[in-house]
Amino acid sequence: MKTLINFFLLICFLLISGGITRAQINEDSYATTKAKNTVKEFDENALFSPYTKQEWRSYQQKNINEGRKTQLNFIITYPNKTAVKGAKLYIKQLTSDFHWGCGMTHRILNNTAYKKWFASKFTAADFHNELKLYYTEPKPGQENYTDPDAMLKFADEHGIIVRGHTVLWDDVKYQQKWVRKLTPEKLLQAANKRVDSVVKRYKGRLVGWDVMNENLHHNFFEKRLGKNASAMFYNRVHNIDPDTTLYMNEFNTTENVNDKWARPEKYLRRLKKIRAYPGNSDIKMGIGLECHYGAEPIDLHYVRNALTLLSQTGLPIWLTELDVKMDPGLDNKTRSELQVIYLEEILRESFCHASVKAIIIWTGASIDGCDVMCMTNEKLENTPVGD
């Protein structure tokens, strides 16, 4: 007997919170902050124009059917290979190639309810600050990995994969004073020491590394160590942890059509430059998109075109810090309703691109702050956005 089984993926959109990173106005940035637009009047149909919402959904569903689903034929027989008549087959999906994730902070370590909530909903995580240089080495030579060690232990115990965010950060604002004061020679020594320390410690335990965060908008290391600084550190990380995927991680590549510094073609140009550096041709690369959407309506056409272009590389795409900020001038009811609409649309659109392998919402429970979105209240009960 031949039984045809169709697997349908049930999508549960988990809506959570986080802070928006903007380019800083300083000599170590390529870009400047763009003025915020506000939502005054909302017409949902405008999101899809000139298409109807139904036409837009049909395209998404077509892509999901082709890229996310598959058909399996099961032939159930006796040991002598004769068919079993009237056989009934029960299947339970235990894992998925696609990951729903959330940002995690050290506050989870001493909160049993928070741990249970996180482990029940997510299969991937990004640490907000706990793996960054200013957290693990606030003073030169004084390293402390207590929190990230404990957080990774919790993740391992619950089958949650973790990204290495981030080895280095190209924004001068997030460099400690002692780092900013270093001469180029001393800076290179300190940066190499940092790479060796964090990558050797977690080699083979992470699903990927953000090697140089936001190096399209910022240039702290390039300005001091030369134009190939980023590529050089990708090479060093790869030599230590060659089997782990190395990511660029950038904001406004899908969020803002007016940001000339991070458009998809600029992203791909920098990625190509990193891979062209001597010794980097065999690096397993990935595309990290922060996806901090602002108060203005999401340009879904731009999102679709950007993801389509990036998908042509064949590299895995991770949405690493997704959130949607709403205009604080709106009343609470309107702000909540629009936030739900915008976030659902970006989740649907992102999921219909098969190259998108994971979506990480930047901030989870309100325990970690509620400056952009809150999925839960203090009791870990869903808000409308969480629903």
Side-chain angles (χ1 to χ4, degrees):
M1 168 184 155
K2 185 176 287 188
T3 307
L4 180 64
I5 307 295
N6 288 312
F7 285 97
F8 295 94
L9 195 56
L10 176 62
I11 306 307
C12 179
F13 292 121
L14 305 175
L15 316 180
I16 320 172
S17 74
I20 290 185
T21 305
R22 294 292 188 187
Q24 303 302 310
I25 304 175
N26 55 56
E27 62 178 359
D28 295 280
S29 296
Y30 296 116
T32 57
T33 302
K34 179 180 178 293
K36 178 183 67 177
N37 295 325
T38 59
V39 179
K40 298 184 182 299
E41 296 181 0
F42 178 70
D43 176 9
E44 186 177 4
N45 292 321
L47 290 173
F48 314 102
S49 180
Y51 304 102
T52 65
K53 183 176 181 178
Q54 182 178 0
E55 290 171 331
W56 196 265
R57 285 281 189 275
S58 295
Y59 177 86
Q60 291 172 333
Q61 194 59 52
K62 177 178 180 294
N63 280 2
I64 290 171
N65 289 340
E66 294 175 354
R68 300 288 187 190
K69 299 179 181 180
T70 188
Q71 293 190 141
L72 298 179
N73 291 331
F74 287 87
I75 301 176
I76 304 174
T77 68
Y78 294 108
N80 64 5
K81 304 302 181 182
T82 60
V84 177
K85 296 181 178 180
K88 293 182 179 180
L89 184 63
Y90 172 77
I91 295 175
K92 181 178 181 180
Q93 182 172 326
L94 299 178
T95 60
S96 172
D97 288 337
F98 183 85
H99 290 279
W100 287 111
C102 184
M104 184 191 296
T105 78
H106 64 279
R107 295 180 184 87
I108 200 171
L109 295 176
N110 297 311
N111 191 317
T112 302
Y114 187 9
K115 287 182 177 180
K116 183 178 180 181
W117 176 85
F118 198 104
S120 69
K121 296 183 180 295
F122 304 107
T123 60
D126 245 340
F127 297 169
H128 276 204
N129 296 302
E130 288 77 4
L131 273 178
K132 294 171 182 172
L133 176 60
Y134 59 69
Y135 196 98
T136 62
E137 192 177 357
K139 295 181 180 180
Q142 297 182 14
E143 292 183 333
N144 187 340
Y145 287 98
T146 301
D147 284 346
D149 281 353
M151 292 164 68
L152 186 56
K153 181 176 182 292
F154 162 76
D156 287 344
E157 290 172 348
H158 292 85
I160 298 168
I161 60 176
V162 176
R163 302 183 70 251
H165 177 74
T166 175
V167 178
L168 296 169
W169 199 340
D170 233 353
D171 190 345
V172 66
K173 186 176 76 171
Y174 297 104
Q175 310 300 328
Q176 303 97 308
K177 288 183 180 180
W178 68 267
V179 174
R180 294 200 297 267
K181 291 179 180 179
L182 295 174
T183 64
E185 181 181 3
K186 293 294 185 181
L187 177 62
L188 179 59
Q189 292 175 4
N192 284 339
K193 177 177 175 291
R194 156 64 177 177
V195 170
D196 294 352
S197 175
V198 69
V199 179
K200 288 180 180 179
R201 189 179 192 89
Y202 300 113
K203 175 183 177 180
R205 298 185 64 190
L206 304 177
V207 70
W209 289 103
D210 291 337
V211 176
M212 182 65 76
N213 201 43
E214 298 176 353
N215 61 353
L216 291 179
H217 286 92
H218 306 291
N219 62 353
F220 175 81
F221 288 95
E222 281 76 11
K223 183 178 179 182
R224 291 157 178 80
L225 302 179
K227 63 181 182 179
N228 290 320
S230 288
M232 178 177 61
F233 291 120
Y234 276 86
N235 179 268
R236 193 174 187 91
V237 173
H238 172 66
N239 287 335
I240 298 171
D241 196 1
D243 295 326
T244 299
T245 304
L246 309 186
Y247 286 81
M248 288 178 58
N249 194 50
E250 195 59 66
F251 64 94
N252 277 353
T253 302
T254 62
E255 301 99 294
N256 191 336
V257 66
N258 295 312
D259 188 339
K260 65 179 181 179
W261 300 101
R263 291 177 64 86
E265 58 269 24
K266 289 284 187 70
Y267 192 113
L268 294 179
R269 197 173 303 151
R270 174 56 67 90
L271 190 150
K272 182 178 180 180
K273 181 179 178 182
I274 290 171
R275 299 182 91 172
Y277 186 79
N280 286 0
S281 60
D282 294 331
I283 291 180
K284 294 169 59 178
M285 292 291 294
I287 294 173
L289 305 172
E290 293 182 13
C291 297
H292 292 297
Y293 290 91
E296 64 275 2
I298 294 171
D299 186 341
L300 290 177
H301 295 275
Y302 182 66
V303 174
R304 178 170 291 180
N305 289 336
L307 289 176
T308 299
L309 179 60
L310 295 171
S311 294
Q312 292 173 3
T313 63
L315 301 177
I317 298 174
W318 279 55
L319 276 54
T320 60
E321 306 178 16
L322 176 62
D323 55 26
V324 178
K325 184 176 183 178
M326 297 309 303
D327 182 2
L330 297 172
D331 63 85
N332 289 338
K333 183 175 183 296
T334 302
R335 184 164 61 246
S336 178
E337 290 175 350
L338 292 184
Q339 201 167 45
V340 168
I341 291 172
Y342 294 157
L343 188 52
E344 180 176 349
E345 292 307 329
I346 196 61
L347 288 172
R348 287 182 180 275
E349 182 58 36
S350 301
F351 186 74
C352 85
H353 294 265
S355 291
V356 175
K357 303 302 182 183
I359 296 177
I360 294 181
I361 308 295
W362 186 228
T363 305
S366 58
I367 295 166
D368 288 326
C370 192
D371 56 328
V372 175
M373 295 188 322
C374 274
M375 181 181 179
T376 72
N377 59 23
E378 294 77 7
K379 297 180 180 180
L380 296 174
E381 299 168 336
N382 272 13
T383 64
V385 169
D387 288 336

